[in-house]
Amino acid sequence: MARKNAFYAQSGGVTAVINASAAGVIEAARSSRVIGKVYAGRNGIIGALTEDLIDTSKESRSAIAALKHTPGGAFGSCRYKLKSVDANRREYERLIEVFRAHDIGYFFYNGGGDSADTCLKVSQLAETMGYPIQAIHVPKTVDNDLPITDCSPGFGSVAKYTAVSIREAALDVASMCATSTKVFVMEVMGRHAGWIAAAAGLAQEQEGDAPHIILFPEIAFNKEKFLKKVQQTVKKYGYCVVAVSEGARYKDGTFLADAGTTDAFGHKQLGGVAPVIAQMVRDELALKYHWAVPDYLQRAARHIASGVDVEQAYAVGQAAVAFAEQGKNAVMPAIIRGKGKTFSWTIEEAPLADVANVEKKMPRNFITRDGFGITDEARAYLAPLIQGEPDTPFKNGLPVHARLKLEAVPKKLKGKFEI
Amino acid sequence: MARKNAFYAQSGGVTAVINASAAGVIEAARSSRVIGKVYAGRNGIIGALTEDLIDTSKESRSAIAALKHTPGGAFGSCRYKLKSVDANRREYERLIEVFRAHDIGYFFYNGGGDSADTCLKVSQLAETMGYPIQAIHVPKTVDNDLPITDCSPGFGSVAKYTAVSIREAALDVASMCATSTKVFVMEVMGRHAGWIAAAAGLAQEQEGDAPHIILFPEIAFNKEKFLKKVQQTVKKYGYCVVAVSEGARYKDGTFLADAGTTDAFGHKQLGGVAPVIAQMVRDELALKYHWAVPDYLQRAARHIASGVDVEQAYAVGQAAVAFAEQGKNAVMPAIIRGKGKTFSWTIEEAPLADVANVEKKMPRNFITRDGFGITDEARAYLAPLIQGEPDTPFKNGLPVHARLKLEAVPKKLKGKFEI
């Protein structure tokens, strides 16, 4: 059987470990007997549509290995969701045209929920449009909202970053609170679910440890109750550390971040829920505050990545290739947690149809009854995901990252495709 | 000669490594023949005024050693500046009363410029008020503005955090810029001088690397020139990463952070220069932006501390004790950089009178002619300060920090002192 080439693309918001998955795919494909070259889409699926493919076979072995410790998306990612075949047949025809021109028989798509949907559509191209292809979804998202899999690669690292950062900053606040800042607010990602906010709770080891308050998107924000809790905490411990999810919202669904002020021109003040919370603390309690919004820093922080996360990200990449070799289509490697007392995990296949467009919510029993903290159930789930400090090479005091050639595959098609 | 006890206090904003200096002082004092116990002031000098002293001799050897990898100020710090003896004689009388009650003959004060001034005043107590004491200043400040010393312990670590973080986040932005965020703004500390902003420039290794623009307090902000540079950068590289000092200001001295909007009640919108810059980019260039304000995270980030910084912080603590043993007074251990090609440093004594109230400015030749970047001179100075990744013990995926007993020394004085 002649080898078919593979297409690999990164999709949606990137993570500290998505490139580890890329390394998993590329390294496994290089030693595969059925896969030829791996062509990466430049800027995700857009690279396929515009025939802008990167020939990963031109990259050295060490460059590919370096992807394991390089954050961001080395081949470029994008936010671009394919419509249904009926709604945009033209795009699928174009994909097939490009795939045929470059003899692509395998499609590896590295992304979250939306991307799983795209991947599912591509997996049906044989049926819908007569082009034989095997499509495997490689899971990734800091939001941790993919179903079936125990966690989503990328989440463990942002969880670790968050817990470490808030623990460190809390020590700073604690040491200054007698005469300075009494309330510190740190904003974390997670517009729809409080997984990352919950991870902040891991910093808490003993009674009184920070964070003292976590604000989840799952719990309607009650200003009065919140301010009372802040006041009590400051009274008891001298300071109060708050972790707030960017998705924190009022009962009516309004995001706190959107409830901010407008400027002189009537423009909405630029986001950030942390300053909004801080402002409440100042206006209502007259306490000295500080706030932090790490934003992209949190999902790019490969220097403090979780060892488990890096391993899992790499493993799902490798498993995706193994599934392809086994002739599978429309599946995703899912991480399955062992049942024993000691944390363990294996990888099993999950049908893409069960993954696409399904959002895993955080269980209510992960949040304490008062809505401001995490439970032992949450700890038991989260704690293993931040374990381990992976090797990170440094040079001149800075982490070393892959520098790829990103050499383009010569175009074979005429004409441009407008996206 | 009977041993005299020592007083140690942390002063001003804390750092990722100020506790390493505490460990240096305490460990050296424990093996000293002239120093008895080390009493730490709870919340800095306030602990001395209120006779709230912590008996560090109650802490285990391992707890003191753990201070070397614990950020924040383990004994509590404060922002409290002693006035002159003439202006507030009462405070000095109280200090002497407390020192005499606890047989304190050595005063180690761990802080920045303001604290050096306090330390100098204490060093003169023998002359001014007849109480014999040796006062040694232990340098510390993320602002890096102490004179004579090559750098201030605490700076190297925040410099490293900043360079690492912006390099990582830039990879994230670069991979998404085709369809998403094109401008990323990261705010760093440094209200008076751009040392930390300059350190962001270390992330830049090759032409085109981030940060593409640095906004220093030293260079008057020119909106038009800035926006033009953003536009050019996005055109050339597809994205633009900006590091902005919290101290960035207009020609007339107004801080950009203060030029923000007011809310419906006429309150000033809570700080942050990054959102102000991001808003300009949106309003004037209509480019998609993101912004980050790491705030305390940057000065507490012991997990990514500079090895050189940790060593120097510990060394100045030890040297302070050595100076005390040698009978010195009114001095500060200063770090002196070797002249050779390879980075080296030694510790020498600097007279406190030359340190107090003198602010080291960043040389103009550290900033490029266009005002948006750092020069080779800056690189040569900064690069050695972020070298080395010190040991940081982890447990359950999180850094281990010292948990001190902080046992109070029994009070000997009657009555309370109101500060």
Side-chain angles (χ1 to χ4, degrees), chain A residues 223-411:
Chain A
K223 187 172 168 178
E224 205 182 337
K225 206 176 142 198
F226 165 70
L227 290 171
K228 199 173 162 192
K229 175 90 177 171
V230 171
Q231 213 163 15
Q232 286 170 342
T233 307
V234 171
K235 199 174 169 192
K236 193 164 180 188
Y237 304 112
Y239 70 108
C240 178
V241 171
V242 181
V244 56
S245 165
E246 60 175 335
R249 64 195 84 183
Y250 288 103
K251 208 174 174 180
D252 68 1
T254 318
F255 287 113
L256 268 74
D258 289 345
T261 53
T262 50
D263 67 15
F265 308 97
H267 293 141
K268 263 250 185 286
Q269 187 71 18
L270 296 191
V273 59
V276 172
I277 292 286
Q279 188 134 359
M280 278 179 203
V281 167
R282 182 195 64 178
D283 293 350
E284 309 279 341
L285 305 178
L287 291 171
K288 186 161 157 50
Y289 61 83
H290 255 248
W291 53 265
V293 180
D295 193 62
Y296 286 157
L297 270 55
Q298 70 198 283
R299 71 176 199 195
R302 176 57 183 80
H303 76 270
I304 188 68
S306 147
V308 166
D309 193 30
V310 173
E311 276 175 45
Q312 291 182 336
Y314 183 74
V316 293
Q318 292 226 309
V321 171
F323 288 169
E325 288 174 321
Q326 292 156 23
K328 287 172 182 166
N329 183 31
V331 293
M332 174 186 91
I335 297 157
I336 307 298
R337 189 182 291 219
K339 294 206 185 301
K341 267 195 166 177
T342 317
F343 177 65
S344 67
W345 53 276
T346 51
I347 289 183
E348 294 177 18
E349 69 179 85
L352 258 191
D354 297 348
V355 174
N357 303 311
V358 178
E359 209 177 43
K360 181 170 73 179
K361 297 276 181 198
M362 193 161 67
R364 179 59 182 87
N365 73 349
F366 275 24
I367 303 175
T368 52
R369 194 170 289 197
D370 72 356
F372 291 136
I374 60 168
T375 61
D376 289 344
E377 285 87 347
R379 268 172 216 288
Y381 167 74
L382 292 167
L385 305 182
I386 67 163
Q387 304 298 311
E389 293 68 51
D391 280 344
T392 308
F394 278 78
K395 195 184 151 191
N396 298 327
L398 291 170
V400 177
H401 297 137
R403 296 256 185 197
L404 302 185
K405 294 181 205 157
L406 301 178
E407 215 171 285
V409 178
K411 296 202 186 214

Side-chain angles (χ1 to χ4, degrees), chain A residues 73 77 79 160 167-168 172 175 179 181 209 261 263 269-270 279 289-290 293 295-296 299 303 399 403, chain B residues 73 77 79 167-168 172 175 179 181 209 261 263 269-270 279 289-290 293 295-296 299 303 397 399 403:
Chain A
S77 186
R79 296 206 183 277
K160 183 169 187 138
R167 174 178 281 191
E168 289 179 333
D172 188 311
S175 58
T179 57
T181 301
D209 281 358
T261 53
D263 67 15
Q269 187 71 18
L270 296 191
Q279 188 134 359
Y289 61 83
H290 255 248
V293 180
D295 193 62
Y296 286 157
R299 71 176 199 195
H303 76 270
R403 296 256 185 197
Chain B
S77 185
R79 297 204 182 279
R167 175 179 279 192
E168 289 180 333
D172 188 310
S175 57
T179 58
T181 301
D209 282 357
T261 52
D263 67 15
Q269 187 72 17
L270 296 192
Q279 189 135 359
Y289 61 83
H290 255 248
V293 180
D295 192 62
Y296 287 158
R299 72 177 199 196
H303 77 270
R403 295 256 185 198

Side-chain angles (χ1 to χ4, degrees), chain B residues 70-107:
Chain B
T70 303
F75 303 104
S77 185
C78 68
R79 297 204 182 279
Y80 191 86
K81 194 174 175 178
L82 290 185
K83 296 210 177 71
S84 69
V85 176
D86 291 339
N88 202 342
R89 194 171 184 88
R90 181 178 147 271
E91 278 187 340
Y92 291 89
E93 285 170 350
R94 171 65 176 184
L95 278 186
I96 290 174
E97 194 183 12
V98 172
F99 291 167
R100 187 169 281 135
H102 295 279
D103 202 22
I104 287 166
Y106 306 98
F107 180 85

Side-chain angles (χ1 to χ4, degrees), chain A residues 4-325:
Chain A
K4 288 274 184 187
N5 295 323
F7 173 80
Y8 167 81
Q10 303 179 320
S11 182
V14 293
T15 78
V17 302
I18 185 173
N19 287 330
S21 294
V25 167
I26 295 167
E27 290 182 357
R30 283 186 177 188
S31 54
S32 167
R33 292 183 181 195
V34 301
I35 299 175
K37 291 184 175 181
V38 177
Y39 294 149
R42 196 184 304 266
N43 302 321
I45 195 75
I46 290 175
L49 291 168
T50 57
E51 203 196 356
D52 195 351
L53 305 175
I54 294 160
D55 188 350
T56 70
S57 75
K58 305 288 188 181
E59 308 293 345
S60 70
R61 196 187 263 200
S62 64
I64 297 301
L67 288 175
K68 290 182 212 169
H69 50 79
T70 303
F75 303 104
S77 186
C78 69
R79 296 206 183 277
Y80 190 86
K81 194 175 175 176
L82 290 186
K83 295 210 180 73
S84 69
V85 176
D86 290 340
N88 203 341
R89 195 173 183 86
R90 181 177 147 269
E91 278 187 341
Y92 290 89
E93 284 169 352
R94 172 66 177 184
L95 279 185
I96 290 174
E97 193 183 14
V98 172
F99 290 168
R100 188 169 281 137
H102 295 279
D103 201 23
I104 287 165
Y106 306 97
F107 179 85
F108 297 108
Y109 208 44
N110 206 167
D114 280 355
S115 317
D117 181 67
T118 297
C119 193
L120 181 61
K121 282 168 186 146
V122 170
S123 75
Q124 296 158 345
L125 283 182
E127 292 163 43
T128 54
M129 308 198 40
Y131 183 80
I133 194 160
Q134 289 169 244
I136 320 278
H137 187 63
V138 186
K140 166 245 66 167
T141 170
V142 295
D143 294 336
N144 201 38
D145 58 1
L146 287 168
I148 307 176
T149 189
D150 180 59
C151 62
S152 308
F155 170 67
S157 293
V158 71
K160 183 169 187 138
Y161 171 91
T162 301
V164 170
S165 298
I166 207 161
R167 174 178 281 191
E168 289 179 333
L171 288 172
D172 188 311
V173 180
S175 58
M176 302 290 295
C177 66
T179 57
S180 183
T181 301
K182 288 197 170 34
V183 181
F184 177 68
V185 184
M186 174 170 156
E187 174 174 331
V188 301
M189 288 181 162
R191 197 130 176 110
H192 303 293
W195 290 106
I196 301 175
L202 290 174
Q204 209 175 30
E205 210 171 56
Q206 296 180 11
E207 158 70 20
D209 281 358
H212 307 97
I213 299 177
I214 303 175
L215 299 175
F216 300 94
E218 287 85 354
I219 305 291
F221 180 74
N222 178 323
K223 187 172 168 178
E224 205 182 337
K225 206 176 142 198
F226 165 70
L227 290 171
K228 199 173 162 192
K229 175 90 177 171
V230 171
Q231 213 163 15
Q232 286 170 342
T233 307
V234 171
K235 199 174 169 192
K236 193 164 180 188
Y237 304 112
Y239 70 108
C240 178
V241 171
V242 181
V244 56
S245 165
E246 60 175 335
R249 64 195 84 183
Y250 288 103
K251 208 174 174 180
D252 68 1
T254 318
F255 287 113
L256 268 74
D258 289 345
T261 53
T262 50
D263 67 15
F265 308 97
H267 293 141
K268 263 250 185 286
Q269 187 71 18
L270 296 191
V273 59
V276 172
I277 292 286
Q279 188 134 359
M280 278 179 203
V281 167
R282 182 195 64 178
D283 293 350
E284 309 279 341
L285 305 178
L287 291 171
K288 186 161 157 50
Y289 61 83
H290 255 248
W291 53 265
V293 180
D295 193 62
Y296 286 157
L297 270 55
Q298 70 198 283
R299 71 176 199 195
R302 176 57 183 80
H303 76 270
I304 188 68
S306 147
V308 166
D309 193 30
V310 173
E311 276 175 45
Q312 291 182 336
Y314 183 74
V316 293
Q318 292 226 309
V321 171
F323 288 169
E325 288 174 321

Side-chain angles (χ1 to χ4, degrees), chain B residues 53-225:
Chain B
L53 305 176
I54 294 160
D55 187 350
T56 69
S57 75
K58 304 288 188 184
E59 308 293 345
S60 70
R61 194 187 265 201
S62 64
I64 298 301
L67 289 175
K68 289 182 214 168
H69 49 80
T70 303
F75 303 104
S77 185
C78 68
R79 297 204 182 279
Y80 191 86
K81 194 174 175 178
L82 290 185
K83 296 210 177 71
S84 69
V85 176
D86 291 339
N88 202 342
R89 194 171 184 88
R90 181 178 147 271
E91 278 187 340
Y92 291 89
E93 285 170 350
R94 171 65 176 184
L95 278 186
I96 290 174
E97 194 183 12
V98 172
F99 291 167
R100 187 169 281 135
H102 295 279
D103 202 22
I104 287 166
Y106 306 98
F107 180 85
F108 298 107
Y109 208 42
N110 204 169
D114 279 356
S115 316
D117 180 67
T118 296
C119 193
L120 181 61
K121 283 169 186 143
V122 170
S123 75
Q124 296 157 343
L125 284 181
E127 292 164 44
T128 54
M129 306 192 49
Y131 183 79
I133 193 159
Q134 289 169 241
I136 319 279
H137 187 63
V138 187
K140 166 245 67 166
T141 171
V142 296
D143 295 335
N144 202 38
D145 58 0
L146 287 168
I148 305 178
T149 188
D150 179 59
C151 61
S152 307
F155 170 67
S157 293
V158 72
K160 182 168 185 138
Y161 171 91
T162 300
V164 170
S165 298
I166 207 161
R167 175 179 279 192
E168 289 180 333
L171 288 172
D172 188 310
V173 180
S175 57
M176 303 289 296
C177 66
T179 58
S180 183
T181 301
K182 289 197 168 37
V183 180
F184 177 67
V185 184
M186 176 168 155
E187 173 174 333
V188 300
M189 288 180 162
R191 198 131 176 108
H192 303 293
W195 289 105
I196 301 175
L202 290 174
Q204 209 174 30
E205 212 171 56
Q206 296 180 10
E207 157 71 19
D209 282 357
H212 307 98
I213 300 177
I214 303 176
L215 299 174
F216 300 93
E218 287 84 353
I219 305 291
F221 180 73
N222 178 323
K223 188 171 168 178
E224 204 182 339
K225 205 175 143 200

